[in-house]
Amino acid sequence: MKQDMIVVIDMGGANNAYIAREVRALGVYSEIHPHDLTEKELALLPNVKGFILNGGPNRAFPGQVLEVSEAISASGAPIMAVGCSYASAARSLPAWAETEEERAVALRHFIFDVCSAEKNWSTKNFIDDQISLIKKQVGDGKVLLALSGGVDSSVVAALLIKAIGQNLTCVHVNHGLLRKGEPEQVVKVFREELGANLIYVDAVDRFLDKLAGVCDPEKKRKIIGEEFIRVFEEEAGKLDGIKFLGQGTIYPDIIESGTKTAASIKSHHNVGGLPESFDFELVEPLKMLFKDEVRAVGAALGLPSSMVNRQPFPGPGLGVRCVGAITRDRLEAVRESDAILREEFKNAGLEGKVWQYFTIVPDIKSTGIRDGKRSFDWPVVIRAVNTVDAMTATVEELPWEMIKKLTARITAEVPGVNRVLIDATPKPSGTIEWE
Ligand code: XMP
């Protein structure tokens, strides 16, 4: 590893990730570790230049007292205490009392003057490091990767192709619930442009047959998740000599699952995820990256911006936006209206500025007029929201001219639709998705 590292020690602070990001933003690599880091665990961390103890009341057990492990205090590396006290700290900061500027000055002083860390955290160094780490882990073994086309799995694929080329096999399962043009783009970019070994599985009928008549949102999610695993297992079973499984786990997935001391925010589950009973060793090269860093790595590896800057997309895909029992024609209405919405956001310069925007087609019909005749068709609902952590969200106020244009295009171009509605609900009371 080329990078120097500053370790954020979780002493119950709620903002560990924020501090790690602040350090990385200053050009120095940073990871979060628990207060009871052992000597053995510490020995596995390369180039540790200093520790930031981050205190606060976030505990798995109320009243739990946290003390820094012997390994940390004996390491000799400088320590800064934030929101907690530590006798031999080089510097102590209150949790949030200082301004951003004062914090940045203190942080810079600690990292560069006290710890003498080098500013060598960069996308290029990360890619070089990971390629050699992957080569070391995998040797000439074979890796299998479920490539959904989302940002994380796409970036893992690009990295693995660079590291091991044809020893990677990607499986792209088209479950019929992907956005317009998505499966085609995955095949084009990975098979044709990057020369990947890609198995494309058209499982559209299989998924839609299983989902026919199922209204309950939880049942729909379950069917999609389980069927995905089935298809993947079948494909894996046709291959020989696979020892490793690539996964697009990223740092927030790990942080949000909770550490030994911090209360967990939510348990990490990946709906497109794979069974734990699989007898594979995992390859997770992005597990220490935040989302914006994953995007930067993807761009540096040559993935198109439309793939790298994709909005979040739920594992069950358009299935949770085709509210109620999924039918093929209503699913097409979701897909087509979503494509129009994305196009108009791009035209309006809002792409990348609004956190998430999509359409929903509920299973209701209303009367309208088409070509001078009575129509009885679905409405398309537009939802555009902003959020930081997806736990709460506010509604993006779209310009009226844009709403009028969207209404005109959607009602003219999407078969079976005669109305356009705007969802004005923040989270809470709504969730971001409708199901
Ligand atoms: P909700 O609807 O819970 O969504 O407010 C919060 C964010 O999570 C996304 N989402 C999912 N992502 N698998 C995912 O990978 C899922 O099953 C899933 N459900 C919701 C949603 O799009 C929003 O960004």
Side-chain angles (χ1 to χ4, degrees), residues 263-276:
S264 83
I265 300 167
K266 62 174 182 194
S267 61
H268 168 51
H269 69 105
N270 190 343
V271 170
L274 303 162
E276 281 164 21

Side-chain angles (χ1 to χ4, degrees), residues 293-304:
E293 294 169 332
V294 173
R295 294 190 207 277
V297 168
L301 289 168
L303 292 179

Side-chain angles (χ1 to χ4, degrees), residues 221 271 312-316 355-356 390 427 431-433:
R221 276 173 183 270
V271 170
F313 188 59
W355 198 79
Q356 200 174 10
K427 175 180 181 176
T431 50
I432 294 177
E433 303 288 348

Side-chain angles (χ1 to χ4, degrees), residues 19 73 306 433:
I19 296 185
S73 35
S306 56
E433 303 288 348

